[in-house]
Amino acid sequence: MKLMPYSLGVLPLTLLALLAPTPGHAAPGGGDGAVLAPAARGGHTAAEITRFLRDFYGDHGPSDDGRENQVSQVLKDKQKENTDTDVLLCAENEPEGISIGPVTVAQAAGVGWATVTTQWGSETTDTFTAYVRLDSQPIRLDDVICAG
């Protein structure tokens, strides 16, 4: 098993936090100056993100349809640049199993994330973090940061 090297990713949480509206400042399209909660804007909940990631990754990795229709352009571009590794799995081949950890939602940053654990044989595992923008419509994987 050859794993993908560590990556800083394209949208670090600190950058997203700087771009997020702050209390008292209108969100784009807010109109009346009120900041809408992510749920009111159609933002995804932790439960929705958990379901999405479990369906997306399945037992052995995303389907061809998922890779085409449920990932951001950032990830598609990252995959084009890294032809020898699967950027969605941070590895070169298909894992024997995949599990999704608890989802954290940072409403101010507009993003949710979970640790994804891949199993490679009876005792070998690896982890990476999968990110979903709360406002993505439809829901899609926005970025993946490999653990190293």
Side-chain angles (χ1 to χ4, degrees), residues 3-68:
L3 302 175
M4 193 167 135
Y6 177 74
S7 167
L8 292 178
V10 177
L11 291 173
L13 290 177
T14 52
L15 176 60
L16 287 171
L18 292 172
L19 297 174
T22 56
H25 295 88
D32 63 359
V35 176
L36 299 175
R41 296 193 316 253
H44 308 296
T45 66
E48 290 168 332
I49 295 169
T50 298
R51 280 190 298 276
F52 167 74
L53 291 174
R54 286 183 180 155
D55 290 344
F56 179 79
Y57 279 106
D59 293 326
H60 303 287
S63 67
D64 290 340
D65 181 67
R67 291 172 183 277
E68 180 62 30

Coordinates of all heavy atoms in Angstrom, one line a residue, residues 3-68:
L3 N 0.6 5.3 0.3 CA -0.3 6.4 0.6 C 0.1 7.7 0.0 O 1.3 7.9 -0.3 CB -0.4 6.5 2.2 CG -0.8 5.2 2.9 CD1 -0.7 5.4 4.4 CD2 -2.2 4.8 2.5
M4 N -0.8 8.6 -0.1 CA -0.6 9.9 -0.7 C 0.1 10.8 0.3 O -0.2 10.8 1.5 CB -1.9 10.6 -1.1 CG -1.7 11.7 -2.0 SD -3.3 12.1 -2.7 CE -3.3 13.9 -2.5
P5 N 1.1 11.6 -0.1 CA 1.8 12.5 0.9 C 0.8 13.6 1.4 O -0.2 13.9 0.9 CB 2.9 13.2 0.0 CG 2.4 13.0 -1.4 CD 1.6 11.8 -1.5
Y6 N 1.2 14.1 2.6 CA 0.4 15.1 3.3 C 0.1 16.3 2.4 O 1.0 16.7 1.5 CB 1.2 15.6 4.5 CG 0.5 16.7 5.2 CD1 -0.6 16.4 6.0 CD2 1.0 18.0 5.1 CE1 -1.2 17.4 6.7 CE2 0.4 19.0 5.8 CZ -0.7 18.7 6.6 OH -1.4 19.7 7.3
S7 N -1.0 16.8 2.5 CA -1.5 18.0 1.7 C -2.1 19.0 2.6 O -2.9 18.7 3.5 CB -2.5 17.5 0.6 OG -3.1 18.6 0.0
L8 N -1.9 20.3 2.3 CA -2.5 21.3 3.1 C -3.9 21.6 2.7 O -4.7 22.2 3.4 CB -1.7 22.6 3.1 CG -0.3 22.6 3.7 CD1 0.4 23.9 3.6 CD2 -0.5 22.3 5.2
G9 N -4.3 21.2 1.5 CA -5.6 21.4 1.0 C -5.8 22.8 0.4 O -4.9 23.7 0.5
V10 N -6.9 23.0 -0.2 CA -7.2 24.3 -0.9 C -7.9 25.3 0.0 O -7.7 26.5 -0.1 CB -8.0 24.0 -2.2 CG1 -8.3 25.3 -2.9 CG2 -7.1 23.1 -3.1
L11 N -8.8 24.8 0.8 CA -9.7 25.7 1.6 C -9.5 25.4 3.1 O -10.3 24.9 3.7 CB -11.1 25.6 1.2 CG -11.5 26.0 -0.2 CD1 -13.0 25.7 -0.5 CD2 -11.3 27.5 -0.3
P12 N -8.4 25.8 3.7 CA -8.2 25.6 5.1 C -9.3 26.3 5.9 O -9.9 27.3 5.4 CB -6.9 26.3 5.4 CG -6.2 26.5 4.1 CD -7.2 26.5 3.1
L13 N -9.7 25.7 7.0 CA -10.8 26.2 7.8 C -10.6 27.7 8.2 O -11.5 28.4 8.3 CB -10.9 25.4 9.1 CG -11.5 24.0 8.8 CD1 -11.5 23.2 10.1 CD2 -12.8 24.0 8.2
T14 N -9.3 28.1 8.4 CA -9.1 29.5 8.8 C -9.5 30.4 7.7 O -10.1 31.5 8.0 CB -7.7 29.7 9.2 OG1 -6.8 29.2 8.2 CG2 -7.3 29.0 10.5
L15 N -9.2 30.1 6.5 CA -9.6 30.9 5.4 C -11.2 30.9 5.3 O -11.7 32.0 5.1 CB -9.0 30.4 4.0 CG -9.5 31.1 2.8 CD1 -9.1 32.6 2.9 CD2 -8.9 30.4 1.6
L16 N -11.8 29.8 5.4 CA -13.3 29.8 5.4 C -13.9 30.6 6.5 O -14.9 31.3 6.3 CB -13.8 28.4 5.4 CG -13.6 27.5 4.2 CD1 -13.9 26.1 4.5 CD2 -14.4 28.0 3.0
A17 N -13.3 30.6 7.7 CA -13.8 31.4 8.8 C -13.7 32.9 8.5 O -14.5 33.6 8.8 CB -13.0 31.0 10.1
L18 N -12.6 33.3 7.8 CA -12.4 34.7 7.5 C -13.4 35.1 6.4 O -13.8 36.3 6.4 CB -11.0 34.9 6.9 CG -9.9 34.8 7.9 CD1 -8.5 34.9 7.2 CD2 -10.0 35.8 9.0
L19 N -13.9 34.2 5.6 CA -14.8 34.6 4.5 C -16.3 34.5 5.0 O -17.2 35.1 4.4 CB -14.7 33.6 3.3 CG -13.3 33.7 2.6 CD1 -13.2 32.6 1.6 CD2 -13.1 35.1 2.0
A20 N -16.5 33.9 6.1 CA -17.9 33.7 6.6 C -18.4 35.0 7.2 O -17.7 35.8 7.8 CB -17.9 32.6 7.7
P21 N -19.7 35.3 7.1 CA -20.3 36.5 7.6 C -20.2 36.4 9.2 O -20.3 35.4 9.8 CB -21.7 36.5 7.2 CG -22.0 35.1 6.8 CD -20.7 34.5 6.4
T22 N -20.0 37.6 9.8 CA -20.0 37.7 11.2 C -21.3 38.3 11.7 O -22.0 38.9 11.0 CB -18.8 38.6 11.7 OG1 -19.0 39.9 11.0 CG2 -17.5 38.0 11.3
P23 N -21.7 38.0 13.0 CA -22.9 38.6 13.5 C -23.0 40.1 13.3 O -22.0 40.8 13.5 CB -22.9 38.2 15.0 CG -22.0 37.0 15.1 CD -20.9 37.2 13.9
G24 N -24.1 40.5 12.8 CA -24.4 41.9 12.6 C -24.0 42.4 11.1 O -24.2 43.5 10.8
H25 N -23.5 41.5 10.4 CA -23.2 41.7 9.0 C -24.0 40.8 8.1 O -24.1 39.6 8.4 CB -21.7 41.5 8.7 CG -20.8 42.5 9.4 ND1 -20.4 42.2 10.7 CD2 -20.3 43.7 9.0 CE1 -19.6 43.2 11.1 NE2 -19.6 44.1 10.1
A26 N -24.6 41.4 7.1 CA -25.5 40.6 6.2 C -24.7 39.6 5.4 O -23.6 39.9 4.9 CB -26.3 41.5 5.3
A27 N -25.3 38.4 5.3 CA -24.7 37.4 4.4 C -25.1 37.8 3.0 O -26.1 38.5 2.8 CB -25.3 36.0 4.7
P28 N -24.3 37.4 2.0 CA -24.7 37.8 0.6 C -26.2 37.4 0.3 O -26.6 36.2 0.6 CB -23.7 37.0 -0.3 CG -22.6 36.7 0.6 CD -23.1 36.6 2.0
G29 N -26.9 38.3 -0.2 CA -28.3 38.0 -0.5 C -29.2 38.1 0.7 O -30.4 37.7 0.7
G30 N -28.7 38.5 1.9 CA -29.5 38.5 3.1 C -30.6 39.6 3.1 O -31.6 39.5 3.8
G31 N -30.4 40.7 2.3 CA -31.4 41.7 2.1 C -31.7 42.5 3.3 O -31.3 43.7 3.3
D32 N -32.3 42.0 4.4 CA -32.7 42.9 5.5 C -31.6 43.0 6.5 O -31.8 43.6 7.6 CB -33.9 42.3 6.1 CG -33.7 40.9 6.7 OD1 -32.6 40.4 6.6 OD2 -34.7 40.4 7.3
G33 N -30.4 42.6 6.3 CA -29.3 42.7 7.2 C -29.2 41.6 8.2 O -28.2 41.5 9.0
A34 N -30.1 40.6 8.2 CA -30.1 39.5 9.1 C -29.1 38.4 8.6 O -29.0 38.2 7.4 CB -31.5 38.9 9.3
V35 N -28.4 37.8 9.5 CA -27.5 36.7 9.1 C -28.4 35.4 9.3 O -28.8 35.2 10.4 CB -26.2 36.7 10.0 CG1 -25.4 35.4 9.7 CG2 -25.5 37.9 9.8
L36 N -28.5 34.7 8.3 CA -29.4 33.5 8.3 C -28.5 32.3 8.8 O -27.4 32.2 8.4 CB -29.9 33.1 6.9 CG -30.8 34.2 6.3 CD1 -31.2 33.8 4.9 CD2 -32.1 34.4 7.2
A37 N -29.1 31.5 9.7 CA -28.4 30.3 10.1 C -28.3 29.3 8.9 O -29.1 29.4 8.0 CB -29.2 29.6 11.2
P38 N -27.3 28.5 8.9 CA -27.1 27.5 7.8 C -28.3 26.7 7.4 O -28.6 26.5 6.3 CB -25.9 26.6 8.2 CG -25.2 27.5 9.1 CD -26.2 28.3 9.9
A39 N -29.1 26.3 8.4 CA -30.3 25.5 8.2 C -31.3 26.3 7.4 O -32.0 25.9 6.5 CB -30.9 25.0 9.5
A40 N -31.4 27.6 7.8 CA -32.3 28.5 7.1 C -31.9 28.8 5.7 O -32.7 29.1 4.8 CB -32.5 29.8 7.9
R41 N -30.6 28.7 5.4 CA -30.0 28.9 4.0 C -30.0 27.6 3.3 O -29.6 27.6 2.2 CB -28.6 29.4 4.1 CG -28.4 30.7 4.7 CD -27.0 31.3 4.4 NE -26.0 30.3 4.6 CZ -25.1 30.3 5.7 NH1 -25.2 31.2 6.6 NH2 -24.2 29.4 5.7
G42 N -30.5 26.5 3.9 CA -30.4 25.2 3.2 C -29.1 24.5 3.5 O -28.8 23.6 2.8
G43 N -28.4 24.9 4.6 CA -27.2 24.3 4.9 C -27.3 22.9 5.4 O -28.4 22.5 5.9
H44 N -26.3 22.1 5.3 CA -26.4 20.7 5.6 C -26.1 20.5 7.1 O -25.3 21.2 7.7 CB -25.4 19.9 4.8 CG -25.5 20.1 3.4 ND1 -26.6 19.8 2.6 CD2 -24.7 20.7 2.5 CE1 -26.5 20.1 1.4 NE2 -25.3 20.7 1.3
T45 N -26.8 19.5 7.7 CA -26.6 19.2 9.1 C -25.5 18.1 9.3 O -25.2 17.5 8.3 CB -27.9 18.7 9.8 OG1 -28.2 17.5 9.1 CG2 -29.0 19.7 9.6
A46 N -25.1 17.9 10.5 CA -24.1 16.8 10.7 C -24.7 15.5 10.3 O -24.0 14.7 9.7 CB -23.7 16.8 12.2
A47 N -26.0 15.2 10.6 CA -26.6 14.0 10.2 C -26.6 13.8 8.7 O -26.4 12.7 8.1 CB -28.0 13.9 10.8
E48 N -26.9 14.9 8.0 CA -26.9 14.8 6.5 C -25.5 14.6 5.9 O -25.4 13.8 5.0 CB -27.5 16.1 5.9 CG -29.0 16.3 6.2 CD -29.5 17.7 5.8 OE1 -28.7 18.7 5.9 OE2 -30.6 17.8 5.5
I49 N -24.5 15.2 6.5 CA -23.2 15.0 6.0 C -22.7 13.6 6.3 O -22.1 13.0 5.5 CB -22.2 16.1 6.7 CG1 -22.6 17.5 6.2 CG2 -20.8 15.7 6.4 CD1 -21.9 18.6 6.9
T50 N -23.1 13.1 7.5 CA -22.7 11.7 7.8 C -23.3 10.7 6.8 O -22.6 9.9 6.3 CB -23.2 11.3 9.2 OG1 -22.6 12.2 10.2 CG2 -22.9 9.9 9.6
R51 N -24.6 10.9 6.5 CA -25.3 10.0 5.5 C -24.6 10.2 4.1 O -24.3 9.2 3.5 CB -26.7 10.4 5.4 CG -27.6 9.7 6.5 CD -29.1 9.9 6.2 NE -29.5 11.3 6.1 CZ -29.9 12.0 7.1 NH1 -29.8 11.5 8.3 NH2 -30.3 13.3 6.9
F52 N -24.3 11.4 3.7 CA -23.7 11.6 2.5 C -22.3 10.9 2.4 O -22.0 10.2 1.4 CB -23.5 13.1 2.2 CG -22.5 13.4 1.0 CD1 -23.0 13.2 -0.3 CD2 -21.2 13.8 1.3 CE1 -22.1 13.4 -1.3 CE2 -20.4 14.1 0.2 CZ -20.8 13.9 -1.1
L53 N -21.4 11.1 3.4 CA -20.1 10.5 3.4 C -20.2 9.0 3.4 O -19.4 8.3 2.7 CB -19.3 11.0 4.5 CG -18.9 12.5 4.5 CD1 -18.2 13.0 5.7 CD2 -18.0 12.8 3.2
R54 N -21.1 8.4 4.2 CA -21.2 7.0 4.2 C -21.7 6.4 2.8 O -21.1 5.4 2.4 CB -22.2 6.5 5.3 CG -21.6 6.6 6.7 CD -22.6 6.2 7.7 NE -21.9 6.3 9.0 CZ -22.6 6.4 10.2 NH1 -23.9 6.4 10.2 NH2 -22.0 6.6 11.3
D55 N -22.6 7.1 2.2 CA -23.1 6.7 0.9 C -22.0 6.9 -0.1 O -21.8 6.1 -1.0 CB -24.4 7.5 0.5 CG -25.6 7.1 1.3 OD1 -25.6 6.0 1.9 OD2 -26.6 7.8 1.2
F56 N -21.3 8.1 -0.1 CA -20.3 8.4 -1.1 C -19.1 7.4 -1.0 O -18.7 6.9 -2.1 CB -19.8 9.8 -0.8 CG -18.7 10.3 -1.7 CD1 -19.0 10.7 -3.0 CD2 -17.4 10.2 -1.4 CE1 -18.1 11.1 -3.9 CE2 -16.4 10.6 -2.2 CZ -16.7 11.1 -3.5
Y57 N -18.6 7.1 0.2 CA -17.4 6.3 0.3 C -17.8 4.8 0.3 O -17.0 4.0 -0.2 CB -16.6 6.6 1.5 CG -15.7 7.8 1.3 CD1 -16.0 9.0 1.8 CD2 -14.6 7.7 0.5 CE1 -15.2 10.1 1.6 CE2 -13.7 8.8 0.2 CZ -14.0 10.0 0.8 OH -13.2 11.0 0.5
G58 N -19.0 4.4 0.7 CA -19.4 3.0 0.7 C -18.4 2.2 1.5 O -17.8 2.6 2.5
D59 N -18.2 0.9 1.0 CA -17.3 0.0 1.7 C -15.8 0.1 1.2 O -14.9 -0.3 1.9 CB -17.8 -1.4 1.6 CG -19.1 -1.6 2.4 OD1 -19.2 -1.0 3.5 OD2 -19.9 -2.4 1.9
H60 N -15.7 0.5 -0.1 CA -14.4 0.4 -0.7 C -14.0 1.6 -1.5 O -12.9 1.7 -2.1 CB -14.3 -0.8 -1.7 CG -14.6 -2.1 -1.0 ND1 -13.8 -2.7 -0.1 CD2 -15.8 -2.9 -1.0 CE1 -14.3 -3.8 0.4 NE2 -15.5 -3.9 -0.2
G61 N -14.8 2.7 -1.5 CA -14.4 3.9 -2.2 C -15.6 4.4 -3.0 O -16.5 3.7 -3.3
P62 N -15.5 5.6 -3.5 CA -16.6 6.2 -4.3 C -16.7 5.6 -5.7 O -15.8 5.1 -6.3 CB -16.2 7.7 -4.4 CG -14.7 7.8 -4.1 CD -14.4 6.6 -3.3
S63 N -18.0 5.6 -6.1 CA -18.3 5.1 -7.5 C -17.8 6.1 -8.5 O -17.5 7.2 -8.2 CB -19.8 4.9 -7.6 OG -20.5 6.1 -7.5
D64 N -17.8 5.6 -9.8 CA -17.5 6.5 -10.9 C -18.5 7.7 -10.9 O -18.1 8.8 -11.2 CB -17.5 5.8 -12.2 CG -16.3 4.8 -12.3 OD1 -15.3 5.0 -11.6 OD2 -16.4 3.9 -13.2
D65 N -19.8 7.4 -10.7 CA -20.8 8.4 -10.7 C -20.5 9.4 -9.6 O -20.6 10.7 -9.8 CB -22.2 7.8 -10.6 CG -23.3 8.9 -10.6 OD1 -23.5 9.5 -11.7 OD2 -23.9 9.1 -9.5
G66 N -20.2 8.9 -8.4 CA -19.9 9.8 -7.3 C -18.7 10.7 -7.6 O -18.7 11.9 -7.2
R67 N -17.7 10.1 -8.2 CA -16.5 10.9 -8.5 C -16.8 12.0 -9.5 O -16.2 13.1 -9.5 CB -15.4 10.0 -9.1 CG -14.8 9.0 -8.1 CD -13.9 8.0 -8.8 NE -13.4 7.1 -7.8 CZ -12.4 7.3 -7.0 NH1 -11.7 8.4 -7.1 NH2 -12.0 6.4 -6.1
E68 N -17.7 11.8 -10.4 CA -18.1 12.7 -11.4 C -19.1 13.8 -10.9 O -18.9 15.0 -11.2 CB -18.7 12.0 -12.6 CG -19.1 13.0 -13.7 CD -17.9 13.8 -14.3 OE1 -16.8 13.3 -14.3 OE2 -18.2 14.9 -14.8

